[in-house]
Every structure is written in structure tokens, then in C-alpha cells.
Amino acid sequence: MAPQILWIGLGNMGRGMCKNLVEKGDLDKPLLLYNRTRSRSDDLASSLPSGKTEVVEDLEQAVKRADIIFSCLTNDNAVKTVLGGLVSKQGSDVKGKIFVECSTIHPDTTEAVAKDVKARGAEFIASPVFGAPAMADAGQLIFVPAGPRVAIDKIRPYIKGVMGKAEIPFDDEPYSKPLQLKLIGNTFIVNMVSVLAEGYTMAEQTGVGVEPLKQFVDTLFGGVYSAYSERMLQGVYWKREEPFFSAAGARKDAGHAMSVASAAGVEPKLVQVADGYLKDVESHQGGEKGDIAGIYGAVRQKAGLKFENDA
């Protein structure tokens, strides 16, 4: 019999992951959905086949029913509040359950939460994921799980071919390692966005034009480079009400990455520049509304152009 699964946190990534879990996860029980803002749970449930999900409001009771608890939350405070609150409550019984934490948080936070969970007799897996919301929707995420191999083996049926396309395993390794890898990987993203933003602004200001540069990017790099280029040149970075990857979230990740780098004796100068651009995005649009691709607008402003392009 398949385990009862509970999902906590329905942001852009969580919604796509749940969709694939329901559609391809071979579940024989409804997927339990919890989000602090209930409307997100209701909206997701209504978009999926009837009877395949169950929206829950009492998180403590939902955890009691669940065998595996996935969480994908916005930041360290949310993880500490939600998971820490669940396992620290007097009388809470989580013995034998598996907590799978997919949020991008500081490695120290992960280790601390894991310690609290394990102290209550539950298993803990740290498994951040690589990929944008579109990849989550398509089931193309890259999972990076760490924890006891016996526990990870129990969630592997829901990774490759269901929510993800690949796995970078850290079986029986410290919980901090996948978070360190995730933060290093995210520096590649924020630096790439900065390079594209500067390049397209240079192309416009020199008269070369953004379209020839876009052709170069598509031909030589493609993939995520082309996807972010589209978000910039089509004005998605300022037109969307809800960002794909918020400036606030990107700054959180950049800050954690700089902390990890500093502890390792590395000075990530490119990330510092990108963080400065993200700060400008927050100033112009607000941290939660601004998108990481808004770095393009920040670079444009510094060059004397409008933040919003005319696409």
C-alpha cells in the first residue's frame, strides 16, 4: 500500500511538484495539501482530478495522518516556524514519519531543523531542487537529497520520472551538503541573469540591437539563457503580477551563498554585484513583486533608460 503523503507550501515550485505527484506518482490515497493561504490549496485542488487531493487546514492533524511530509517553503523563518513548530509541540507524535525538506535555506538552518526532527524519532531528508517553475510543471526538476539511504529509497519512486528528471544524491551525507550545492548553483543563475541584462542593455545603447544578441544567445547557449532572455525582452519581468522567482527570494539565496562562501574563504564578487542589482529591483518594484529578471530593468536604469522596456 502506498504511503499517505502531505505537501506543505504551494508556491510556484510546490504547485508544479504536486501536480506531477498526483498525475504520475501512482498514489492510492489523496495527496494532502496545506498552505497558509488556503486559496492556493483550493485553486490547485480544483485544477487536478476529483478525489486525487484533499485540502487540510489543521496541519498538526494532517501530519498525524501522513507517512511522508514534503515541504517547500519561502525562507528559513518559514521552515523553522512550520517544521520546528510541528515537532516541538508538547505531545506531538512524529515517530517513524519522513520529513522531506525541499526549500532553499541556509545549510545551518537545515542542520538545526533536522536535529529537532530526528530528536522526535522521525527521519529527515534535505532535498532542495534545481529548476524554474516551468520545469516543476513539466516534471523536469533535479533533486539533491541527503539523509539516510534507507529513507531516501522510500521517496525515490516519486523523484525520477514523476517530479524530476534526475538526482544528484548525497546518501548518508551531512544535510548541509545539498544546500551548499544548491546555493552555489543559484549563484550561476543570478550571475547569468546579470550578464544577460548587461549584454542586452549594451546592445540597445550601442545600436547593435537586442535581436541580433538574442540570436547569438539562442544559437550558442539556448536553454535557460534563452528562457531568461525571453522574460527580459518580452517585458515579463515587469508585467507579471506574481514573479516566477522573486527578487526577495533571490536576495535571500545570494545572501546565504555569500555567507557560505565567506566561511570557506571565498569572495564571490559577481554575486555581490548581482545582489546590488536585486536591491535596485526591490527598490523599484518591491521585493515580493519584483522578479529576478528585473535585474534587466535595474541595469537599464543605470544606463539612463526606463526600468520597464517597451516590449
Side-chain angles (χ1 to χ4, degrees), residues 216-297:
F216 161 77
V217 169
D218 290 345
T219 304
L220 187 61
F221 300 109
V224 67
Y225 283 81
S226 293
Y228 269 101
S229 295
E230 287 290 335
R231 281 163 64 179
M232 292 176 185
L233 300 183
Q234 295 302 317
V236 175
Y237 70 94
W238 61 269
K239 291 178 180 178
R240 271 181 66 91
E241 285 300 315
E242 182 181 5
F244 287 113
F245 184 4
S246 74
R251 286 204 74 199
K252 177 260 296 178
D253 292 355
H256 287 341
M258 288 188 281
S259 170
V260 168
S262 177
V266 178
E267 185 179 5
K269 290 186 176 181
L270 296 179
V271 182
Q272 293 168 12
V273 171
D275 185 57
Y277 286 143
L278 287 167
K279 188 175 181 181
D280 292 339
V281 175
E282 284 189 310
S283 177
H284 187 84
Q285 292 185 291
E288 295 304 328
K289 183 174 184 199
D291 189 280
I292 186 176
I295 287 176
Y296 181 39

Side-chain angles (χ1 to χ4, degrees), residues 55-208:
V55 175
V56 295
E57 289 192 86
D58 188 325
L59 184 54
E60 190 175 349
Q61 289 301 314
V63 169
K64 287 180 180 179
R65 294 170 56 190
D67 304 301
I68 300 174
I69 300 99
F70 283 90
S71 55
C72 189
L73 302 167
T74 53
N75 55 42
D76 298 57
N77 284 337
V79 173
K80 287 187 284 189
T81 299
V82 173
L83 296 192
L86 283 172
V87 300
S88 65
K89 259 185 194 173
Q90 190 152 1
S92 65
D93 183 12
V94 295
K95 189 174 181 179
K97 300 180 186 296
I98 301 175
F99 286 80
V100 188
E101 223 303 292
C102 300
S103 314
T104 302
I105 52 179
H106 196 285
D108 293 348
T109 303
T110 298
E111 291 284 2
V113 172
K115 183 178 179 181
D116 290 342
V117 168
K118 289 165 68 72
R120 288 285 186 166
E123 291 287 5
F124 186 86
I125 298 170
S127 185
V129 294
F130 284 110
M135 293 176 69
D137 286 341
Q140 294 294 297
L141 297 173
I142 301 169
F143 281 71
V144 191
R149 178 178 284 111
V150 66
I152 297 175
D153 282 343
K154 290 179 182 177
I155 69 161
R156 284 198 160 108
Y158 309 112
I159 297 179
K160 193 171 182 181
V162 179
M163 294 186 287
K165 68 175 180 179
E167 178 189 333
I168 303 174
F170 283 94
D171 294 34
D172 298 323
E173 295 270 6
Y175 296 112
S176 57
K177 282 194 175 182
L179 275 305
Q180 290 169 335
L181 176 61
K182 170 65 172 168
L183 292 170
I184 293 169
N186 276 14
T187 67
F188 282 47
I189 300 298
V190 73
N191 291 339
M192 173 200 68
V193 174
S194 299
V195 168
L196 288 172
E198 291 176 352
Y200 285 121
T201 303
M202 287 174 62
E204 182 168 347
Q205 290 291 73
T206 59
V208 167

